[in-house]
Amino acid sequence: MAKGYWIAFVTVTDRERYAGYQALAPAAFAAFDARFLVRGGDAASLEGDTYERHVVIEFESKQQALACYNSDAYQTARASRDAACKATIAIVEGLPE
C-alpha cells in the first residue's frame, strides 16, 4: 500500500495564538502514527507564494492522513490555528511501494 503524505506550507501571523495550535496538534498526529519528515528548516521558495515553514508528514496511507486531518483532535487544534497563520495543506498518496 502506498504511504500518505500531508504537505503544509505555513506563515505564522500571530505567534501567541499559534502556540495554542502547537500545544494541541501533536496529540492528533501521535494518535495516527504520523512521522515528520520535514518540519521547518532552511527552504528556498522558487515559484508561487512564499511561506516561512514547510512541513511534510508521512502516514501509513492517504486514508490515515485524511482521518487524522478530520479527527476531532486535529479539528480542535486547527480551530486554534485559523486566525494565527496563513496555511496551505494538501494530502497526497505516495508512489506504490
Side-chain angles (χ1 to χ4, degrees), residues 30-54:
F32 289 88
D33 298 322
R35 186 170 79 111
F36 282 80
L37 302 178
V38 176
R39 188 185 232 167
D42 186 28
S45 295
L46 303 176
E47 295 186 30
D49 293 334
T50 301
Y51 293 89
E52 69 180 15
R53 292 180 54 81
H54 305 83

Side-chain angles (χ1 to χ4, degrees), residues 1 4 7 10 18 25 34 40 46 51-52 54 71 75 78-79 93 96:
M1 176 184 295
I7 304 169
V10 180
Y18 194 75
L46 303 176
Y51 293 89
E52 69 180 15
H54 305 83
S71 70
Q75 288 303 306
R78 182 181 178 267
E93 185 175 65

Side-chain angles (χ1 to χ4, degrees), residues 24-92:
L24 296 171
F29 293 126
F32 289 88
D33 298 322
R35 186 170 79 111
F36 282 80
L37 302 178
V38 176
R39 188 185 232 167
D42 186 28
S45 295
L46 303 176
E47 295 186 30
D49 293 334
T50 301
Y51 293 89
E52 69 180 15
R53 292 180 54 81
H54 305 83
V55 180
V56 178
I57 310 167
E58 183 180 70
F59 292 83
E60 285 304 310
S61 66
K62 179 183 173 196
Q63 293 74 22
Q64 187 178 25
L66 287 167
C68 179
Y69 182 84
N70 290 312
S71 70
D72 290 342
Y74 186 75
Q75 288 303 306
T76 298
R78 182 181 178 267
S80 69
R81 184 202 78 203
D82 280 347
C85 70
K86 174 185 167 192
T88 298
I89 297 173
I91 293 176
V92 300

